[in-house]
Amino acid sequence: MPYKKDRYVYITDQRWFIRSLEIFPGALTWTILAAPVLLSIWQPILVAIFIIAFDLFWLVKSFRLSTALIRGYRRLHKSERVDWSIRLDWIRKPDEYLASAENKMKDLLKKNPKAKRGLWQPNQKAWKQHSKYVELSHEIDTLRDIKNRESAILHPDSLFNLVIMAVYNETQDIIEPSIKSLLEVDYPAKQLMLVVAYEERGPESTKQIARDMVEKYGPKFAYAAAIEHPDGIEGEVIGKGGNITFAGRKVTEDLLEQGVDPEHVIVTTFDSDHRAGRQYFTVLSYLYAMDPNRNRKSYQPVPMFYNNIWDVPAPMRIIATNNSFWLLMETMRPHRLRNFAAHAQSLRALLDTDFWSVSTPVEDGHQYWRSYFAFNGDHQVVPMYVPAYQDAVLAETYPKTFIAQYKQLRRWAYGISDFPYVVRNNIRNSNIPLHSKIAQTWRQIEGHISWSTTALIVTFVAWLPLFLNEEFRMRSELAHQLPILASYMMNIALVALIIMIAISMISLPPRPARYGHRRNIGMLLQWILLPVVSIAFSAMAAIDAQTRLMLGKYLAFQVTPKSRKK
């Protein structure tokens, strides 16, 4: 990255400039929240115009997001039906598979020459033949592409998938199922590597579990190690980033000594509760092998907070489902997609970026920006339509669960702390086009401000002129019609909520035997809590995070407790 000693770079290093950027998001949120209150007293008609426009905007956006959710769910479901092991085999034997596919195409068109016609199929059988034609066409095109780019495509047998699993104070019933799940995937264990990264500051019981798990399951992997992250390393904040970075550096030393090419190692970071979907590594390996720009990509699975979804309280189920679906919707807008929780990157790219950040409590999202600027804007997050199963928040008691959930959302919302980093590096880096800098900065700030303000605006602002301005209330019919009009628009938006509820019900894992059918009813009725949950947990957590950054009360990393019902 170019670092020119000019006055602009000098300004970006000044403490007053950095603090101004830290203050800006929180100040903007509080201005947006305070403005309707003040304007309701002095200019209520402006508030009325604003809330009508705002509700119309969110009405349209809710349907757009619902469409993205349906498309994302269909693509996820479609991807799960694909045998990705066969796709990897295409790379090994493209000539054999190409000849077979071309013969199948000839037979299909011989039986039904009209199979290639899309909209004019007369019956269901003809539609199936057309679908088969589309599938074979895609297969033939892909196989021809493999043959044409054979030298640029990595052979799947030369790849290794390295999983770095960060642990801190978790018990064996959390850690062991996650490790066992790695041996239950559709991918050869001889090409899987495992590192359990544990903390010196963690309890002795967890340290022993990490060592025991590697001793028990390690021989089944191509490489396995338990690596302790020491306390007190200069420049590090307490958090996951320092732990996995230390482990990543240590394992890289071993792999380089063994002559392993870093470009042939794909590194996935998991938490102790993460479980890879059955085809996670086959999908990842296929996408990575086929991508000529693989060292400038991150690969993002779909997080599904479903491991213990039947066990957690209703508010946590709503939050877990919303978080899963939000990331699924974002896959339909890959230009907005960012690293989150479980994600993968090549070891070559990690060496180029010096692994993950050790100075932020939100290392996953920050890794996107570190890569984006390190590669002069030539970096993209690629959506993988395969799940990475995770735990919803559950502690020993309901009060502890609610507190833990709030702190988790606040830590995620503290990703706004990247805003100064983004602005400063946009100024410093002259190799990134201006339009890209503007778009990236806008998406970041817009997303976080929407997070902190939308639920409060939609819920309360339409009522403010009615209660805060007596003259407007007494003389204007609009004062009384405004809440009704806003309510009508929100009722229409309920269609989007119904779509989300329907997809949530059909995507749930099987109900545990310890629960009866009444639990299904609870899964439906829980959604009446959505407005309260959106404000009390999501919006307030985002406001809290932005306000702390604004006041210089920086947030430290806090481990989310993990618990399972037996």
Side-chain angles (χ1 to χ4, degrees):
M1 185 190 309
Y3 187 93
K4 299 180 180 179
K5 293 292 183 180
D6 57 20
R7 61 192 179 98
Y8 299 109
V9 172
Y10 173 77
I11 290 173
T12 63
D13 284 335
Q14 299 304 298
R15 182 59 184 163
W16 66 265
F17 183 75
I18 297 172
R19 283 294 295 137
S20 298
L21 295 175
E22 291 175 346
I23 291 169
F24 178 75
L28 181 57
T29 285
W30 282 110
T31 299
I32 291 172
L33 294 177
V37 177
L38 299 177
L39 290 174
S40 293
I41 299 173
W42 294 304
Q43 293 291 336
I45 192 67
L46 293 180
V47 177
I49 295 172
F50 165 76
I51 194 60
I52 291 172
F54 189 86
D55 284 351
L56 281 172
F57 167 76
W58 274 98
L59 178 62
V60 174
K61 187 170 184 177
S62 67
F63 282 102
R64 185 164 61 86
L65 291 176
S66 295
T67 302
L69 177 59
I70 294 171
R71 291 173 58 218
Y73 179 75
R74 289 181 62 188
R75 189 166 294 186
L76 177 65
H77 191 58
K78 181 179 179 181
S79 177
E80 289 178 333
R81 295 199 306 268
V82 173
D83 189 338
W84 290 92
S85 297
I86 295 294
R87 296 285 178 96
L88 279 179
D89 212 33
W90 287 359
I91 300 174
R92 298 185 183 96
K93 297 175 286 188
D95 292 317
E96 179 180 326
Y97 280 99
L98 179 59
S100 175
E102 289 176 338
N103 288 333
K104 290 178 183 178
M105 178 67 82
K106 290 177 182 177
D107 291 341
L108 175 65
L109 293 178
K110 185 177 181 180
K111 293 177 181 177
N112 182 10
K114 298 180 180 179
K116 63 174 65 177
R117 297 168 60 182
L119 294 176
W120 307 106
Q121 301 300 336
N123 52 50
Q124 187 176 6
K125 181 179 178 181
W127 265 109
K128 287 182 178 179
Q129 290 176 329
H130 173 68
S131 299
K132 184 65 176 177
Y133 169 82
V134 172
E135 181 182 333
L136 284 171
S137 295
H138 171 73
E139 183 175 337
I140 290 170
D141 290 343
T142 304
L143 287 164
R144 287 173 178 169
D145 179 56
I146 291 172
K147 283 177 58 64
N148 293 335
R149 297 192 303 112
E150 195 166 0
S151 61
I153 296 174
L154 296 183
H155 197 284
D157 295 340
S158 71
L159 297 178
F160 291 95
N161 275 275
L162 167 63
V163 176
I164 300 181
M165 181 178 293
V167 303
Y168 171 56
N169 62 355
E170 294 80 13
T171 56
Q172 185 167 336
D173 62 339
I174 298 293
I175 299 172
E176 186 168 19
S178 299
I179 294 176
K180 287 177 66 177
S181 71
L182 297 175
L183 298 170
E184 297 167 355
V185 297
D186 289 346
Y187 194 75
K190 66 180 182 180
Q191 290 177 254
L192 279 177
M193 301 178 177
L194 171 67
V195 172
V196 181
Y198 63 94
E199 297 279 8
E200 180 185 1
R201 62 187 172 89
E204 188 60 39
S205 58
T206 301
K207 299 177 187 179
Q208 190 59 48
I209 291 168
R211 294 189 287 262
D212 289 346
M213 292 297 99
V214 168
E215 182 179 353
K216 181 177 181 180
Y217 296 103
K220 299 179 181 181
F221 293 94
Y223 173 98
I227 298 176
E228 181 177 271
H229 173 227
D231 292 343
I233 297 179
E234 185 178 357
E236 287 191 2
V237 301
I238 293 176
K240 177 183 172 183
N243 186 9
I244 59 178
T245 291
F246 184 84
R249 289 169 178 163
K250 286 292 185 183
V251 69
T252 300
E253 292 176 5
D254 290 347
L255 296 181
L256 292 179
E257 286 180 3
Q258 296 174 22
V260 177
D261 185 345
E263 189 174 357
H264 289 247
V265 180
I266 317 167
V267 183
T268 297
T269 63
F270 274 174
D271 288 346
S272 59
D273 61 303
H274 292 179
R275 301 181 186 181
R278 183 176 57 85
Q279 297 200 96
Y280 173 85
F281 295 107
T282 47
V283 174
L284 175 58
S285 298
Y286 177 79
L287 294 176
Y288 182 81
M290 292 285 290
D291 195 335
N293 201 30
R294 60 184 70 89
N295 292 315
R296 297 296 180 263
K297 302 288 177 64
S298 295
Y299 299 86
Q300 180 64 56
V302 178
M304 303 293 283
F305 296 86
Y306 279 7
N307 283 345
N308 58 346
I309 192 71
W310 289 95
D311 297 326
V312 300
M316 279 68 260
R317 294 199 297 265
I318 293 173
I319 293 169
T321 304
N322 277 343
N323 290 336
S324 300
F325 286 177
W326 177 256
L327 270 297
L328 184 56
M329 289 185 287
E330 287 290 83
T331 64
M332 293 290 99
R333 304 182 291 175
H335 58 282
R336 295 178 58 96
L337 197 58
R338 301 289 180 265
N339 299 28
F340 179 79
H343 58 275
Q345 209 168 357
S346 76
L347 183 56
R348 176 73 272 160
L350 291 172
L351 286 170
D352 292 342
T353 58
D354 194 20
F355 294 89
W356 301 271
S357 173
V358 300
S359 59
T360 175
V362 193
E363 93 297 329
D364 48 2
H366 190 64
Q367 180 64 11
Y368 171 83
W369 297 113
R370 295 176 78 247
S371 302
Y372 177 79
F373 290 113
F375 303 140
N376 296 319
D378 182 20
H379 179 69
Q380 181 184 358
V381 179
V382 178
M384 293 170 53
Y385 292 95
V386 61
Y389 297 105
Q390 305 176 27
D391 282 10
V393 175
L394 179 64
E396 294 88 352
T397 65
Y398 274 19
K400 288 182 179 180
T401 298
F402 294 155
I403 293 170
Q405 179 68 86
Y406 179 84
K407 289 182 177 179
Q408 184 192 63
L409 292 176
R410 183 179 64 183
R411 176 166 55 86
W412 292 353
Y414 197 68
I416 191 59
S417 59
D418 287 337
F419 180 69
Y421 178 87
V422 172
V423 173
R424 293 173 67 213
N425 281 278
N426 274 334
I427 294 172
R428 292 164 179 254
N429 195 315
S430 59
N431 294 322
I432 302 174
L434 179 61
H435 67 85
S436 180
K437 295 178 181 180
I438 293 172
Q440 293 282 25
T441 306
W442 165 252
R443 288 169 190 150
Q444 186 195 34
I445 195 70
E446 183 271 334
H448 281 276
I449 299 303
S450 295
W451 188 346
S452 60
T453 60
T454 298
L456 291 167
I457 291 173
V458 169
T459 305
F460 296 115
V461 169
W463 297 91
L464 291 179
L466 184 63
F467 288 103
L468 297 180
N469 193 306
E470 184 177 357
E471 182 180 357
F472 188 62
R473 179 174 70 247
M474 299 299 293
R475 297 187 179 184
S476 175
E477 179 67 20
L478 181 59
H480 297 274
Q481 293 299 320
L482 185 59
I484 298 173
L485 182 60
S487 178
Y488 282 154
M489 286 190 282
M490 292 302 101
N491 286 339
I492 297 173
L494 285 176
V495 175
L497 177 60
I498 292 171
I499 292 172
M500 185 170 68
I501 294 172
I503 293 179
S504 74
M505 295 303 294
I506 63 177
S507 64
L508 282 172
R511 186 182 70 250
R514 60 180 173 270
Y515 296 118
H517 292 286
R518 284 184 296 179
R519 196 69 169 183
N520 294 78
I521 299 174
M523 289 287 190
L524 284 172
L525 296 180
Q526 70 188 21
W527 293 98
I528 63 176
L529 298 174
L530 180 61
V532 176
V533 170
S534 298
I535 294 172
F537 286 94
S538 189
M540 298 309 295
I543 293 171
D544 188 351
Q546 292 174 22
T547 303
R548 284 172 179 268
L549 183 64
M550 181 175 66
L551 299 177
K553 297 181 178 180
Y554 304 114
L555 192 66
F557 185 86
Q558 293 171 312
V559 177
T560 302
K562 295 175 174 62
S563 180
R564 299 267 173 85
K565 288 188 178 182
K566 299 180 181 178

